[in-house]
Amino acid sequence: PFNGNTNDESGNNVNGSISGPTLVPDRKGNEDAAFKFDGQDDLITASLEIPKTSFSICLWMKPEANDFDGFHTLLEFGIDDP
């Protein structure tokens, strides 16, 4: 959960790094439990090992408009090559 930050609550130490989005209430009204992205340059990054077995990712999203043309990348996997 987002408890006012992007710290990994599972104990696996896969904390996120925030660049731009702001904390807002989540879909159930819990304060500082979701992030609002401006659709331009906001992102949250985390370094993790992708398991070789099946896994799931869940994403709740509430667009501010019915225009989905702005949603180019919601989730991206890749190798960060310094």
Side-chain angles (χ1 to χ4, degrees):
F2 293 126
N3 294 322
N5 57 54
T6 56
N7 291 343
D8 181 3
E9 300 290 330
S10 72
N12 292 319
N13 200 32
V14 183
N15 298 323
S17 176
I18 304 166
S19 179
T22 55
L23 284 162
V24 295
D26 69 7
R27 62 191 173 90
K28 295 182 178 181
N30 299 309
E31 290 295 322
D32 294 338
F35 281 95
K36 181 176 182 176
F37 293 78
D38 67 10
Q40 301 297 317
D41 56 1
D42 292 353
L43 58 98
I44 296 175
T45 58
S47 295
L48 63 135
E49 290 185 29
I50 303 299
K52 295 184 179 176
T53 58
S54 299
F55 66 98
S56 298
I57 295 176
C58 179
L59 173 73
W60 286 91
M61 179 181 82
K62 180 183 175 189
E64 290 187 354
N66 290 329
D67 180 12
F68 287 92
D69 290 339
F71 297 104
H72 299 286
T73 305
L74 295 175
L75 185 63
E76 182 174 281
F77 292 98
I79 298 172
D80 186 13
D81 237 348

